[in-house]
Amino acid sequence: MAPQPHSGRRRSRWSCWAVRGLAIVLMSLTGGDALSLDHYRQSCPKAEAAVTAAVKQAIAKDRTVPAGLLRLHFHDCFVRGCDGSVLLDSTSNNTAEKDGPPNASLHAFFVVDNAKAAVEALCPGVVSCADILALAARDAVALSGGPSWAVPLGRGDGRVSLVSDTTSLLPGPGATFDQLKQAFHAVGLSAKDLVVLSGGHTLGFAHCSSFETRIRGFPGGSGGAGVADPALRPSFAAALRRACPANNTAKGAGAWMDPTSAAFDNAYFKMLQTGRGLLASDEALLTHPKTRRMVALYAASQGKFFQAFVSSMLRMSAQNQPGEIRANCRRHN
Ligand code: HEM
């Protein structure tokens, strides 16, 4: 019987398989140092619990934190591996990743800072910021009702964070299927990982600029005015246009990624199938018959989505690099 990520004993058995099999195989593919579930067992046994406590505390005050943490981890891993490079602040000599256009709306950095402070109080200089972010992303998913999994640990913190990497390595919201596939392939991830991890868009929010072209950027309106992407359900496009009036300057305007945006579930795939995918990059998953079938599979089965999500997250977050243990996640040592 297929393992059920939400059902206690079966879930942990499945997580074990996923961790031992996938993580080990993938480490050899990415060429990084081997990650291990035991990495801090001697040196900082309470690290993981301290991270979870910091994430819980932040969510209790701010429901947008899980989406912020999950996206932070994705943006970290796609640029120089999961090395905490996205956490570094710009300096007088260097504009860092976090100040690049694709990262303008990243948030929840404070949660990593709080977790790091808690962990440093327990065992100074031992736990990397990259590991803290990987754990926090897992907790963000699990605490939003999604699956949980054991996170292999031992990532190093990088010393390099370049703004120029962000536009070249992070796919944009208007990316085509081929561009998305290429961006994922560049970090050792498949078209299946692309579909599954795009399911992370079950959480959170997008600003109008991220889907402006979809709601009024297509040719065909009277007097040269743009119309909505014909792939969008007309009532959904109309609701998005109301949320994002033309020439609007409201900074916080936008739309939730799916109607249950605080819950980690498979609603994203159901929306996609019914003309209510928000970003062009979401819609792009329907352009290829193979990935369209995957969308249908995950729309029909939340269990299968959860199972696949754990595998793909393990693959994405296994791209580590040797590095230091930063004392402060915002600055290299
Ligand atoms: C496939 C390529 C992807 C593209 C082009 C993409 C693009 C975007 C864009 C444009 C936004 C909205 C940003 C804004 O307007 O503020 C967003 C939000 C988000 N993305 Fe992605 N994304 C992709 C994949 C992923 C993956 C793999 C994950 C995680 C596994 C992820 C997690 C999220 C989350 C959680 C949000 C909501 C953030 C929040 O509310 O703070 N995305 N993404």
Side-chain angles (χ1 to χ4, degrees):
M1 180 192 280
Q4 303 293 310
H6 258 322
S7 58
R9 207 158 60 88
R10 273 193 216 132
R11 176 175 70 191
S12 58
R13 211 189 305 148
W14 188 82
S15 297
C16 278
W17 170 82
V19 170
R20 295 207 180 106
L22 287 171
I24 292 167
V25 169
L26 284 158
M27 286 324 303
S28 62
L29 287 180
T30 57
D33 285 356
L35 302 178
S36 122
L37 294 177
D38 298 339
H39 193 77
Y40 300 116
R41 188 159 287 170
Q42 300 295 329
S43 57
C44 200
K46 294 189 175 151
E48 210 166 315
V51 173
T52 305
V55 175
K56 273 190 184 157
Q57 202 178 31
I59 296 176
K61 291 196 190 122
D62 180 354
R63 287 298 305 163
T64 70
V65 156
L69 289 171
L70 180 58
R71 189 166 182 235
L72 264 181
H73 185 48
F74 158 52
H75 283 214
D76 187 27
C77 295
F78 266 55
V79 180
R80 296 175 184 270
C82 317
D83 67 342
S85 54
V86 74
L87 304 171
L88 289 170
D89 282 345
S90 294
T91 63
S92 52
N93 305 325
N94 179 55
T95 307
E97 287 169 31
K98 66 162 63 151
D99 291 318
N103 288 339
S105 59
L106 287 183
H107 61 102
F109 291 98
F110 77 97
V111 186
V112 179
D113 293 336
N114 290 350
K116 176 69 172 173
V119 167
E120 285 294 296
L122 290 170
C123 16
V126 170
V127 181
S128 69
C129 298
D131 276 345
I132 289 174
L133 184 51
L135 288 168
R138 182 275 314 272
D139 290 340
V141 170
L143 292 167
S144 303
S148 189
W149 61 95
V151 179
L153 298 167
R155 294 166 191 77
D157 290 330
R159 292 177 60 83
V160 177
S161 179
L162 302 176
V163 68
S164 53
D165 283 341
T166 59
T167 39
S168 58
L169 298 171
L170 292 165
T176 62
F177 180 72
D178 284 344
Q179 289 166 334
L180 292 167
K181 232 173 65 173
Q182 211 169 12
F184 275 63
H185 183 73
V187 293
L189 297 175
S190 66
K192 180 179 178 188
D193 294 314
L194 162 64
V195 176
V196 171
L197 290 172
S198 293
H201 287 172
T202 176
L203 293 179
F205 182 83
H207 293 83
C208 299
S209 56
S210 296
F211 53 87
E212 181 67 29
T213 312
R214 289 207 84 200
I215 57 176
R216 54 175 73 88
F218 279 63
S222 59
V227 296
D229 181 343
L232 280 175
R233 182 189 276 211
S235 57
F236 184 63
L240 294 177
R241 278 196 301 272
R242 279 194 300 279
C244 298
N247 308 317
N248 94 93
T249 49
K251 265 196 177 150
W256 299 108
M257 303 297 270
D258 81 16
T260 54
S261 66
F264 194 98
D265 56 21
N266 66 339
Y268 164 83
F269 294 104
K270 293 180 183 166
M271 294 286 284
L272 208 49
Q273 280 197 310
T274 52
R276 292 172 295 165
L278 191 55
L279 308 179
S281 61
D282 297 322
E283 189 70 37
L285 305 181
L286 298 174
T287 49
H288 198 281
K290 200 168 137 195
T291 50
R292 198 163 57 235
R293 278 197 297 277
M294 292 177 199
V295 170
L297 176 70
Y298 301 134
S301 168
Q302 181 161 281
K304 289 208 166 85
F305 166 49
F306 282 9
Q307 200 175 307
F309 191 79
V310 171
S311 303
S312 293
M313 280 296 281
L314 285 167
R315 264 192 289 277
M316 181 178 83
S317 73
Q319 347 249 336
N320 72 317
Q321 306 284 347
E324 61 188 21
I325 305 295
R326 267 178 230 151
N328 176 336
C329 293
R330 291 170 183 266
R331 286 192 287 278
H332 61 69
N333 294 339

